[in-house]
Amino acid sequence: MAMRIELIDAASRRARARLEELVLSRDGETYASVSKLLKRNHAYVQQHITRGTPKFLSTEDATAVARYFGIPARDLLPPLPAAGERPQGGTLPVATCANGTANGSPLPGYIEVPMDFLFLGEDVETEALCALRVMGDSMIPTLLPGDYVIFDRRAAWAAEDRRSGLTDALFVLVIGGQWQVRRVQCDPRSGAITIRADNAAYPPWHDADLAQVHVGGRVIWAGKRL
């Protein structure tokens, strides 16, 4: 754990030095002007660079700054856990997926999730986790716009799920070319699959053929602001 903290601290210093270099290299650019770009208070970027508060920019802020300066967003973000790494305690950087992409690949971004919130089992590999920000009202009241879910990209619905007694779970699916969260239900007697939104305004898909649906993974965690 101490080694992980040291790596994150070193990555933070590199990311902040990179941002400082970008600001100082452009005529007329200031910490305050970049803060304004991000719609933050005028001292936000200065505090980030000089004090490490926050330690890293959010994925959204890093993406905006990277686009503005024409650099990869990963230059401003921390490293993701290495394959097989299972940090204990603290927080876990989880790769983010964009709603507008449907190839299953993480973006060069992350959210920090407290390990204690995830309750990871031994069968969960941290590098297989991906985070998605909920858009739209299809999963109201369970999930609201702006909520985050974390899903395991290795876990797809299969015959084993029926035998294990899993009859109702949230999955990330590709619908209309975008990642979307849906409830997948299995009739324990007939084995028929229903895909539905929790918002009753959206019609359910009865007798769904999952072979025709791209399953991103099973939702294992959700977080929201109250």
Side-chain angles (χ1 to χ4, degrees), residues 164-177:
S164 67
L166 177 62
T167 58
D168 188 311
L170 297 184
F171 280 80
V172 173
L173 311 174
V174 176
I175 300 175

Side-chain angles (χ1 to χ4, degrees), residues 6-144:
E6 292 175 4
L7 291 174
I8 291 295
D9 287 344
S12 173
R13 289 192 295 270
R14 287 194 298 271
R16 289 183 283 127
R18 179 65 170 134
L19 179 54
E20 182 178 34
E21 175 188 6
L22 292 169
V23 173
L24 297 179
S25 66
R26 181 174 290 185
D27 289 342
E29 202 71 77
T30 65
Y31 296 152
S33 65
V34 179
S35 297
K36 183 177 180 180
L37 169 73
L38 300 176
K39 297 181 173 60
R40 302 280 190 171
N41 71 73
H42 72 281
Y44 181 78
V45 169
Q46 180 180 11
Q47 291 175 347
H48 166 60
I49 290 176
T50 61
R51 301 181 184 177
T53 306
K55 186 170 292 187
F56 293 98
L57 296 177
S58 68
T59 298
E60 291 81 3
D61 285 351
T63 301
V65 171
R67 187 180 299 116
Y68 180 66
F69 285 105
I71 64 167
R74 62 177 174 270
D75 288 2
L76 306 174
L77 293 168
L80 294 173
E85 181 180 1
R86 298 184 61 81
Q88 302 296 318
T91 60
L92 173 70
V94 177
T96 55
C97 283
N99 297 78
T101 60
N103 60 6
S105 300
L107 289 177
Y110 82 106
I111 60 171
E112 287 277 357
V113 181
M115 287 292 293
D116 291 343
F117 286 7
L118 289 177
F119 301 106
L120 295 177
E122 289 301 317
D123 60 335
V124 175
E125 297 179 4
T126 56
E127 67 272 14
L129 301 181
C130 200
L132 178 73
R133 191 174 188 182
V134 176
M135 305 290 287
D137 62 355
S138 62
M139 291 302 292
I140 290 175
T142 307
L143 299 170
L144 304 178

Side-chain angles (χ1 to χ4, degrees), residues 162 185-194 207:
R162 305 175 193 182
Q185 298 174 318
C186 176
D187 187 305
R189 286 179 288 187
S190 68
I193 299 293
T194 298
D207 296 319

Side-chain angles (χ1 to χ4, degrees), residues 149-210:
V149 297
I150 293 177
F151 60 98
D152 185 346
R153 288 181 289 148
R154 299 174 309 138
W157 190 278
E160 288 74 13
D161 297 317
R162 305 175 193 182
R163 289 197 293 268
S164 67
L166 177 62
T167 58
D168 188 311
L170 297 184
F171 280 80
V172 173
L173 311 174
V174 176
I175 300 175
Q178 294 185 332
W179 292 118
Q180 304 243 353
V181 181
R182 288 293 186 271
R183 187 175 301 279
V184 178
Q185 298 174 318
C186 176
D187 187 305
R189 286 179 288 187
S190 68
I193 299 293
T194 298
I195 298 175
R196 67 173 69 247
D198 283 1
N199 185 340
Y202 290 77
W205 179 10
H206 296 293
D207 296 319
D209 182 2
L210 287 182

